[in-house]
Structure formats: structure tokens, C-alpha cells
Amino acid sequence: MSRRYLMWFAHEHLDFRHAEMQSILSMLKIPIKFVEKPSEHQPYWIVDLPSETCVKQIAARSVLLKNCIELWSRAKSEAQLHKNLNSAVKNISNKWIIPNVDNEISDTHICPCQLLEVCSDSKKSFKVDVETFCKHFTMKEKVDKIEKFSYLPLHGPVKLNKPDVTLSYIEFYGVDPNNVPEEPCDLFFGKWIADGQRDLIQVHSLKKRQFIGNTSMDAQLSVIMANQAQIASGDIVLDPFVGSGSLLVAAAHFGGYIWGSDIDYMMLHARTRPTRVGQKVRKKEESIRGNLKQYGIESKYLDVLVSDFSLPMWKESLKFDAIITDPPYGVREPTEKIGIERDNYTLSEHHLDNHIPSKVEYGLPHIYSDLLNFAARHLNMGRRLVCWYPVVRDEYLEEQIPTHPCMKLVSNSEQVLSKLTARRLLTYQKISDDIPETPHDTRATVHNFRDRYFAIGEISRREKKERRAEELANSAIYIKAKQDRSK
Amino acid sequence: MKLITHNMLTSKCLKGVVTGYPLAINATNIKVTEVDFNPEFISRIIPKLDWEVLWRAADSIGHSDGLPQTIEPKFEENSDFLKKAHKVLLEVEIEEGNLVCPESGRRFPISKGIPNMLLTEAEVQ
Ligand SMILES: C[S@@+](CC[C@H](N)C(=O)[O-])C[C@H]1O[C@@H](n2cnc3c(N)ncnc32)[C@H](O)[C@@H]1O
């Protein structure tokens, strides 16, 4: 019998929710059935999944999932929630009773009493957690809410710390803090199964990471990328624009063995200016490898190399299980490759060892063309390239997204960066080994973000000024509030 | 730089170089670090390697002791072999030295364990 679950998501990165979850489900080969059609405005899904084990596997991966409970009752009013549960006590059919299959909302469905029986064992301890969204209640009020479930066959002792069973009662008052209704709009009751990976956001936080750079990716987005790349234990993963290696931390966390390369010698040797405010010199331990060591996953480190992605380096037959990367957009860091625009240039032998070569512009369209060609040649079949792609929001058209005959775009989610700009996380899956003879050139369609970005620079400078003014005003209010309080 | 990396690297970025493989190793400082042994990973990576290149590379830096020159058919079941392969692939590292292009003799320096595969602007012209 498949079971019904409530999956509760964090209310952020909404555009990534489906992409992350679909990647995890397809990686784990877990079928999902929506009991109610999911909506972006609601932080939950009501679904059928094959088993509790599946739920735990999913929760062990997803960073956007807060938790997952086995659903016993779901209603639009408190009375209905209890009515459903009361009827469930008597539902011995071993099936959900669904009074009207045409209803889109499952608020009258009655769960089988077998679900409730986990708690009728008098040796099993339990507790009930009350969670309310967008409205605060005191401890006393929460206890009163719990008392109302006294009709449930709960025979074991109450134990607040690590009980055998945790029951979960949720009241959802919407997501708009300025418009909180008197009564909850959704209520749920069930058995807690597992928490998602929200904790990783703290554990891998850049604030506490030894080695970071100006363009290090935050922990949450890095985990999303590793999930969309479907990185599993023992996979071989490459980031060809590795920088400080933030994407590879998440990849290694899920068991990937990692290679990285970057054109910036000083970066890989951690000799660039420190990124942290107030830090004068980089510490000796600062390195990509040091970061993995910090998280206890140094065994997943293969190597990093100083190299220019526009030139080939890996042997033809090498195949990766995933390529995850954040190429340079040319705004906070230059987009460059080795080159010189002078004719018949030579360099004497003794210059070679510590020569830092000069560079020429390596535009975004060119970078993406190289990246897709590289992925088509060096990915294992069915595996994925996950990469960021910057856009000017107003000018974005889906047709601009780079394409390749061997690489199928499977998801495309937007992260807004400013009023004018965004970046999109593109996930491609390799679907064919039939690599075109002449490298496929996507450059014609790809617009050059850097040029566009600087073209709109005038506007954005004005915008920045306005934002600064707003921030100042806000902090003035904050200071005033603090003074008021201390009076 | 680990020997697993060496096994995958070429110098074909150089003008006029056809395969650029395998690169020769000149090591002035080698270290051995402990890495968790993961037999599944080692079994999975072995078919992707050029074993002869690995063996010669290990031999050239004095780490081929006990390492068979060819892979036997059921290597996945031989845990002693997997451990030896694990050691040369992941634990032995070139800290300082050079990689040398077999065709042109161009040196790529390795410092603090990180190979520098960059060309000069003159070379990419
Ligand atoms: C957006 S940053 C990546 C940041 C990285 N995700 C991190 O965790 O720090 C882009 C990186 O691409 C590198 N880069 C620029 N041009 C390159 C090229 N031609 N080949 C390889 N790397 C390049 C830059 O040095 C920079 O570190």
C-alpha cells in the first residue's frame, strides 16, 4: 500500500522546488503521485509515495524540504480536522476513504485506523509537536490545542526528548504576515517521518568556512546544484571554473570524488586578497582541500589544477558523472582566456616558470559553447551538467538559452539578483553520444550578458543610489527603534 | 597531484602536439597521505584507467612496489590488489616537480601539489 505524505518546504527559492525534487526523485527512482495539485503559493505538497524508506531517502537529500510527515488528516477548518480523525479511528478498511473523488482538495478524506495504531502500543513513547505558520501561540495555547486530540488511541507515555513517535499538528495561516486570518486556512495532522537537509545550510555556511572567494556560492544553492546533478556516492565530478570550490563541497558531501580547475593561479593557491572584511592575510590552511578537511570529507578530494578551460587538457576517453559550475559572468570577475592580440610574440625560456600570461576576453557565448561541447564529449550517458547563466531580466527569452543536440535542458530556474538582473540555473542531461563532427556552436543565440549588463549600467547605478538611500532610511528607523526601547 | 589525475592529463593544448600522453613526471617532493579506502570507487575507476601508464608513473617515482603490471580479470574480488591500487591512485602525491610533455618536452610545474597547465600567450598564438 502506498502511503500519503505531507512534504513541507522552505518558503524560498520557489522556482527551484520542483527542479530539486524531480532530480532527487528520478535519481532515486521513486514514483510520486500528487493527491492535490501543488501550488507555488503553498509551501506544501500532498503526495503518495511508496514507503517510509523512500521518504527518508528523499529527506536525506533535499535542502528545500523542511520535513515530511505521514498524513493522517488534512482539513480547511479545525472542526473538520477532528471530524476526519474521529472517523479514522473507526475506519478498519485498511484504505483511505475518499467521499468525493472529484474534489481537488482532500479535506474530507479519512485515513485507515491502521495508521493511528502506531501509538496504541503502551510501550511506545510519543509527543505531539504543534507548529503554526504566520501566527504565534504561547506554550499554554499550544498545550490546549494538543488536549483536543484526547480521543486518539494514544496509550504510551509522553516523552518530550527523543520519543519513539513524534506526532505533528500544523496550523497554516498563509504566507502573508501583513494579512493573517483569524482561523488557519489549512490544518494537518500526522506522524513525523524525517527532516530535510536545512541544517546543512548552517553546517556548510560560508561564514564559518576557512577558504572563500568573492564569488563563492552559498551552501544552500550549492546543495541544490549537487542534487540537480544527481551526484551519488562514488561519482566523479568536475567544476572547470572552480574558484574557491564551493560547489564541490556539496558534491563531496554526497559522496562525489572531485576535480576542479581554474585559470586563476593565485586563487587556487589562496594568495588572492582575503575575501573576509577585516582579514589581512590568508591563512596557511586556506585551500579547497582545506575546506573539505574542515567538513571531514577530504577523502573525496582528487585534485585541482590551474588551467584555461578554452584549451583541452583531459584525455579524450575520460568521462565524468557530473559537471557543476558557475562560469565567470564578467562582472565581479573577468571572463578571460590566455592569449595576446600582438603578432609574432615570443617569450624567452627563463621567463617561463613564474610568468603570468596575459589574457584576452573570453565572452559568455563562447564559454557556454565550449561548456556544452565539453559536457557532450565528457559526460557519461544520462548524466548532467548543472551551470548558472546570467540574464538581464527584461530581455530574457527562453530561446536565448544555449542548446546542443546531445544535451537536453531538463530544468531552468531563476534566482533574482537585482531588479534588473538574475541568473538561471540550467540543468542539462546528456541524451546522445552522437557528437557532431564540427563542434556545435551555440554562440549565435546566446546573448552577451556582460555587454548587456554594462549597457544597463547607467540605470543600475541610479538604482543602487536609491537602494542605498532606502537602506540608510531603514537603519535610521532601526536605530530610533532601539533608542525608543532603551528609554 | 595524485596519480589518478596524472592518468587523465594530456598536453594536447600545445600547438603541434598530437596526443600529449602520457606526461612524464619529474618529482622533487613526494608525500603519502592517508585516504579512506572505498573499494567500490576503486573498482569503478580501474576500467577507466590506462593501467600501464599508471604502473609506469608509479614506477618512475619509486612507488610500484607490489603493484601488478597487468590487471587480472576478477580484480574487484581481490581486496589486497584494490588496496594497492587505492594507495597509488589516491594516497601518493607529487608535491613539487614537473610534468613533461612527451612530444615537445614542455614542462608544466607542480607546486604545493597543484599542477599548472597554463600556456603562455606566445604558445596559444
Ligand atoms: C563565478 S567564479 C566561480 C566561483 C566558484 N564557484 C567558487 O566557489 O568560488 C568563476 C571562476 O572562473 C574562473 N575563470 C575565468 N576564466 C576562466 C578560464 N578561461 N578558464 C578557467 N577558469 C576561468 C575565474 O578565475 C573564477 O574563479
Side-chain angles (χ1 to χ4, degrees), chain A residues 201-232:
Chain A
I201 299 171
Q202 297 313 318
V203 176
H204 281 182
S205 164
L206 293 179
K207 287 198 192 115
K208 289 171 275 172
R209 187 173 301 171
Q210 257 166 22
F211 175 50
I212 56 169
N214 293 340
T215 53
S216 293
M217 188 67 57
D218 77 50
Q220 177 161 212
L221 290 168
S222 301
V223 174
I224 291 177
M225 288 179 78
N227 278 328
Q228 293 192 185
Q230 303 186 315
I231 291 165

Side-chain angles (χ1 to χ4, degrees), chain A residues 206 209 211-217 222 239-248 261-265 267-268 288 307-311 324-329 332-338 359-360 362 367 388 423, chain B residues 118:
Chain A
L206 293 179
R209 187 173 301 171
F211 175 50
I212 56 169
N214 293 340
T215 53
S216 293
M217 188 67 57
S222 301
D239 181 348
F241 298 95
V242 72
S244 64
S246 54
L247 308 183
L248 295 182
S261 65
D262 199 288
I263 200 171
D264 190 345
Y265 179 96
M267 186 75 194
L268 294 190
I288 292 175
S307 99
D308 178 346
F309 185 64
S310 69
L311 296 172
I324 50 177
T325 200
D326 185 19
Y329 316 153
R332 279 187 292 179
E333 77 294 68
T335 45
E336 295 170 328
K337 58 180 183 173
I338 305 293
K359 293 164 188 163
V360 294
Y362 185 27
I367 292 179
W388 289 98
R423 59 181 172 187
Chain B
L118 287 187

Side-chain angles (χ1 to χ4, degrees), chain B residues 11 14-17 20 100-108 123:
Chain B
S11 55
L14 288 163
K15 283 254 164 61
V17 165
V100 187
C101 169
E103 293 165 44
S104 67
R106 160 70 145 102
R107 291 174 298 123
F108 297 93
E123 288 168 305

